[in-house]
Amino acid sequence: MTTALTINKLTASVGAKVVGLDPAHLGSDTALGDALLEALERNGVLVLPELHLDPVAQVEFCRRLGGIDHSSDGHHPVAGIYPVTLDKSKNSSAAYLRATFDWHIDGCTPTGDEYPQKATVLSAKHVAEHGGETEFASSYAAYDDLTDDEKIRFGALRVVHSLEASQRRITPDPTPEQLARWRARPTHEHPLVWTHRSGRKSLVLGASADHIVGLDLDEGRAVLQDLLDRATTPDKVYRHTWSVGDTVIWDNRGVLHRAAPYAEDSPREMLRTTVLGDEPIQ
Ligand code: OGA
Ligand code: MN
C-alpha cells in the first residue's frame, strides 16, 4: 500500500500532476482513493500521465472515488465506460458531443433531479492530430476573484440552465426535430453561487446557463458571459495536451472544462467514467 502521493501544481489556481502512482494499486487501495479525492478537492484537476489503465481497471479505480454513473452505459462493452468521440460508429450519441467545445460544467441539465457528478475521469485511447486538448478553469477561483459587492449581488441571483442553451451554441439553426429533442429535456434553475457543504463557494456558469431569472434577457446573458470570460482568461486555465494512456480526473463541482475543437473525422477517443455526485447545487 502506497498512499504517499507526489503532487506537483500545474498552475496557480487549477491542476496538479500526480507522479509515482502504481496503476496496479489503484483499484484496491481505499486509502489511495481517499488521498486522491482530497488532492482533487484542493487542485480541481489531477493529471495521471501515461497510466495506460485498461477500461475495467479504470472503472475499478473510480469505485474508490464514489458510486459509478451507469446512466450512459451501452455505448462501450465495459459497464461504466462511455466513449467520448465524434465518430458516430463508436458512439451513437456523438452528435451532442460538439457541445464539449464550449466551457461547461457537466450535469447542470439532468433528465431528472440527479445531482451534478462529483468527478469525471477521462483516459486517452486515441488523440487528435490537431486540437483536442482539454482545458480547465476553477469555478471556486471564479467566485473568489469577485469583488465584495459582486459577491453580495450575485449571491442573490438564480440562473436557468437548459440543454437547448448548450446545443444552440454549436447548432444555432436547429431543425424542428432537433429543437423538439432538446426541449424534451427539462430546464433547471440553479443559484449562480453554489455554497458547497465544505463551505467553499463557486460560480455555476457555462454553456448550459441560458438566462438569469428576473433580469432582462440580454442584460442577464451579458453578465453570464462577462463572468465566464473573467473565469477563463488564459492565466487561469490549465490546458492538457493528451498523450495516449494519460488519465485526467476533474472535480466537476469546482471546475469548468471544455475541449479544444478537433476534426469531425478525428480518431480522438477518450474513455470516460463518471463518479456520481451526492450534493445538489444550492
Ligand atoms: C466530458 C467533456 C472534454 C474532452 O467528457 O464531459 O467535456 O476534452 N470532455 O473530451
Ligand atoms: Mn463535459
Side-chain angles (χ1 to χ4, degrees), residues 100 104 106 250 257 272:
T100 60
H104 65 281
D106 293 337
W250 70 85
H257 64 281
R272 168 183 154 129

Side-chain angles (χ1 to χ4, degrees), residues 3-11 14-21 32 34-49:
T3 51
L5 296 176
T6 305
I7 293 169
N8 301 318
K9 276 195 175 295
L10 291 161
T11 74
V14 72
K17 188 192 276 199
V18 183
V19 286
L21 271 185
L32 181 59
D34 289 348
L36 285 170
L37 278 176
E38 198 198 325
L40 190 61
E41 170 80 21
R42 244 178 307 120
N43 295 288
V45 178
L46 299 178
V47 175
L48 318 179

Side-chain angles (χ1 to χ4, degrees), residues 22-255:
D22 181 350
H25 282 137
L26 284 178
S28 54
D29 188 336
T30 305
L32 181 59
D34 289 348
L36 285 170
L37 278 176
E38 198 198 325
L40 190 61
E41 170 80 21
R42 244 178 307 120
N43 295 288
V45 178
L46 299 178
V47 175
L48 318 179
E50 302 195 37
L51 274 192
H52 296 280
L53 279 182
D54 69 54
V56 171
Q58 174 165 320
V59 177
E60 282 296 307
F61 163 50
C62 288
R63 282 214 187 90
R64 306 271 78 81
L65 307 178
I68 306 294
D69 182 0
H70 285 289
S71 62
S72 302
D73 276 5
H75 299 279
H76 188 277
V78 174
I81 297 281
Y82 176 81
V84 175
T85 169
L86 297 180
D87 183 340
K88 293 187 182 65
S89 72
K90 290 184 183 150
N91 180 344
S92 56
S93 58
Y96 284 93
L97 289 174
R98 276 171 52 248
T100 60
F101 295 173
D102 284 301
W103 287 107
H104 65 281
I105 294 171
D106 293 337
C108 287
T109 59
T111 49
D113 52 9
E114 304 90 329
Y115 301 152
Q117 296 87 335
K118 173 161 134 185
T120 304
V121 173
L122 286 188
S123 293
K125 185 169 175 194
H126 301 292
V127 300
E129 202 174 329
H130 303 289
E133 299 87 354
T134 308
E135 297 187 315
F136 301 95
S138 169
S139 60
Y140 290 122
Y143 175 82
D144 294 339
D145 289 345
L146 298 176
T147 66
D148 290 343
D149 277 358
E150 287 175 324
K151 284 180 181 167
I152 293 166
R153 190 152 46 91
F154 296 143
L157 297 181
R158 295 183 67 80
V159 178
V160 173
H161 291 250
S162 68
L163 179 65
E164 179 177 345
S166 47
Q167 291 295 322
R168 252 189 206 284
R169 293 173 205 269
I170 40 139
T171 309
D173 294 307
T175 64
E177 291 75 23
Q178 281 175 314
L179 199 54
R181 241 177 290 133
W182 300 345
R183 289 187 176 168
R185 180 82 70 92
T187 63
H188 292 264
E189 194 180 303
H190 301 300
L192 176 55
V193 176
W194 181 351
T195 304
H196 300 251
R197 284 189 191 131
S198 62
R200 299 174 82 190
K201 294 186 181 195
S202 68
L203 293 185
V204 184
L205 297 168
S208 63
D210 185 58
H211 64 273
I212 298 181
V213 177
L215 242 62
D216 168 77
L217 199 64
D218 290 338
E219 194 189 329
R221 285 184 176 160
V223 169
L224 293 169
Q225 188 61 48
D226 175 57
L227 289 173
L228 185 64
D229 289 346
R230 286 160 59 184
T232 57
T233 52
D235 58 311
K236 293 179 184 151
V237 170
Y238 170 63
R239 166 179 265 234
H240 187 69
T241 301
W242 292 93
S243 297
V244 170
D246 283 355
T247 296
V248 170
I249 315 172
W250 70 85
D251 168 1
N252 180 61
R253 306 189 284 210
V255 300

